[in-house]
Amino acid sequence: MRRTLKTAAALALAVGAFTTVGATTASARPADSSHGCPSGDVCFYPGAGWNNDQPTSTYYRYGTYNLSNMYGTYRIFNNQTGGATMRTCTGYNGAGCQGYLPAGWYIDKDMTPINSITLEP
């Protein structure tokens, strides 16, 4: 009986620890948003509009992201902060990148030939 209680107490403590970590991580991101895009993110909206402020894809960390199943026109909104930029690339893994989309700007772009994006400081 004692062993069961110790195991249950340890399990409860472990679950509590994960809950606390998850809450801390979730609150670490800024809450401000524009057109449904959180501050610090790059957001994609299908078509040449804001899709009722409902982005279909969001990216938060600097780096390269390979894309799949994105065809036709998308509105890309760079809601990053601190002058961070975003680029579209015709190749995978950030190859063949084009121009820079500055923070606070958006563009309507045909994503059919695009295979990756980069988020850069």
Side-chain angles (χ1 to χ4, degrees):
M1 180 73 164
R2 254 189 209 163
R3 185 175 202 163
T4 304
L5 290 175
K6 281 184 180 180
T7 304
L11 181 59
L13 181 59
V15 170
F18 285 123
T19 303
T20 303
V21 170
T24 303
T25 303
S27 64
R29 291 182 63 187
D32 295 338
S33 69
S34 179
H35 295 288
C37 186
S39 178
D41 285 16
V42 170
C43 297
F44 285 75
Y45 305 82
W50 295 109
N51 193 40
N52 295 316
D53 292 343
Q54 298 291 316
T56 55
S57 302
T58 61
Y59 301 90
Y60 181 71
R61 290 187 167 73
Y62 294 140
T64 301
Y65 296 90
N66 289 324
L67 306 175
S68 61
N69 298 317
M70 291 185 86
Y71 303 102
T73 302
Y74 278 76
R75 176 160 289 175
I76 307 168
F77 179 36
N78 183 358
N79 200 26
Q80 296 182 94
T81 59
T85 60
M86 179 269 178
R87 301 177 81 184
T88 56
C89 311
T90 55
Y92 287 103
N93 301 315
C97 292
Q98 312 161 333
Y100 291 90
L101 184 63
W105 290 67
Y106 71 89
I107 186 172
D108 295 335
K109 184 163 184 76
D110 179 10
M111 295 298 291
T112 303
I114 305 302
N115 289 302
S116 63
I117 61 168
T118 63
L119 277 57
E120 304 169 9

